[in-house]
Amino acid sequence: MDFSMKRRTLLKVIVLGDGGVGKTSLMNQYVYNKFNPQYKATIGADFVTKELQIDDKLIWDTAGQERFQSLGSAFYRGADCCVLVFDVNIQRSFEMLSNWHEEFLKQVQRLITSHDSADPSDPESFPFVVIGNKIDLDCGNSRMVPVEKARDWCASRGNIPYFETSAKEGYNVDEAFLCVAKTAVACE
Ligand code: GDP
Ligand code: MG
C-alpha cells in the first residue's frame, strides 16, 4: 500500500482499557518519548498529536472514566482506529478487553443509527489494535497473561493485530502505533 498517496492529515485514535494499564504512558512515550513513573488518573480529555511521516495522529485517551464506562459518544465519533490496552501482569485487565471491545462497537453502532451523525465507520470491520503493556515487569515472573492467550483472543475477533510493549522502556511502542496508523488508513 502506498501511503504517500493519502491526503488525510489527521487520524483519530481512541485508546481504551482498564485504569492503570498504561494508556496515558503509551501515548506519552509515543508522542514525547517520555515516561512518568507516577500514576495520575487522567483528568479531562487528553489530546495529543504527533507528526509522523505517514500522517498526523490525534489520540484520544480515556479521561479517567474507566471505572464508570461513562465516555460520551462525542469521544467515539469519527474514530479511525481503536487501541485496546491491557497489562500482561493483571489477568482482570485482559478479561476486561471483551467489555471494552463490545462497548466500543456498541457506541459506534449507536452513532451510525442516530440521525445527528453520519459516521461512516462500519462496526463489522472496524480497525482495532490490541496492546499488552508492561512487559518489562515480566522478568520478575509476574506475567499473568500468556502471549498465546492474547493472540487467540485477537485471532477470534477478526485477526486483530497484537503487540506487546513497555511504555516504561519505550519497547515496541512506535511499532504498535505505526500499525495503528496503517490499520486506520487502510480502512478508509
Ligand atoms: P492509564 O490509567 O491506563 O492511563 O495508566 P497510566 O499510563 O497512567 O499508568 C499507570 C501506572 O503504570 C503509572 O504509574 C505508570 O508509570 C505505570 N506504567 C505504565 N506503563 C508501564 C510500563 O510499561 N511498565 C511499567 N513498569 N510501568 C508502567
Ligand atoms: Mg490515563
Side-chain angles (χ1 to χ4, degrees):
M1 168 151 232
D2 182 5
F3 293 108
S4 63
M5 300 302 288
K6 295 284 177 181
R7 285 276 170 265
R8 190 73 182 277
T9 56
L10 209 60
L11 295 177
K12 181 170 169 182
V13 176
I14 308 278
V15 185
L16 294 177
D18 278 11
V21 297
K23 301 179 297 296
T24 301
S25 301
L26 282 164
M27 286 175 33
N28 285 340
Q29 180 59 258
Y30 174 59
V31 178
Y32 307 113
N33 294 314
K34 271 194 193 142
F35 178 74
N36 180 352
Q38 252 133 38
Y39 180 40
K40 257 204 244 159
T42 308
I43 296 167
D46 278 349
F47 311 108
V48 289
T49 62
K50 175 176 181 171
E51 242 173 82
L52 262 200
Q53 248 176 327
I54 289 183
D55 253 317
D56 287 344
K57 309 293 172 312
L58 175 63
I59 303 178
W60 288 45
D61 191 6
T62 56
Q65 306 99 323
E66 290 98 334
R67 280 181 299 153
F68 313 105
Q69 307 214 344
S70 62
L71 302 158
S73 60
F75 182 79
Y76 298 94
R77 181 165 292 136
D80 294 298
C81 182
C82 176
V83 181
L84 302 171
V85 185
F86 71 99
D87 178 342
V88 298
N89 311 288
I90 298 181
Q91 181 69 30
R92 187 180 155 74
S93 72
F94 176 67
E95 283 158 12
M96 285 298 288
L97 276 196
S98 300
N99 293 44
W100 288 112
H101 186 244
E102 274 165 34
E103 169 72 9
F104 183 85
L105 290 178
K106 209 169 67 191
Q107 290 291 346
V108 169
Q109 187 68 58
R110 181 180 298 165
L111 284 173
I112 291 168
T113 51
S114 71
H115 294 291
D116 66 328
S117 150
D119 196 298
S121 311
D122 171 11
E124 295 301 314
S125 61
F126 193 89
F128 288 91
V129 171
V130 171
I131 293 181
N133 189 40
K134 303 199 190 183
I135 59 157
D136 57 285
L137 296 174
D138 188 28
C139 52
N141 255 346
S142 63
R143 176 190 279 260
M144 297 298 293
V145 183
V147 62
E148 300 78 27
K149 255 190 130 179
R151 288 216 181 101
D152 285 353
W153 190 93
C154 291
S156 69
R157 281 161 183 85
N159 279 324
I160 299 176
Y162 177 60
F163 289 84
E164 301 211 323
T165 60
S166 166
K168 183 178 180 185
E169 291 171 0
Y171 172 76
N172 227 14
V173 175
D174 284 354
E175 288 80 355
F177 278 97
L178 189 64
C179 178
V180 167
K182 287 183 180 171
T183 313
V185 173
C187 281
E188 273 181 50

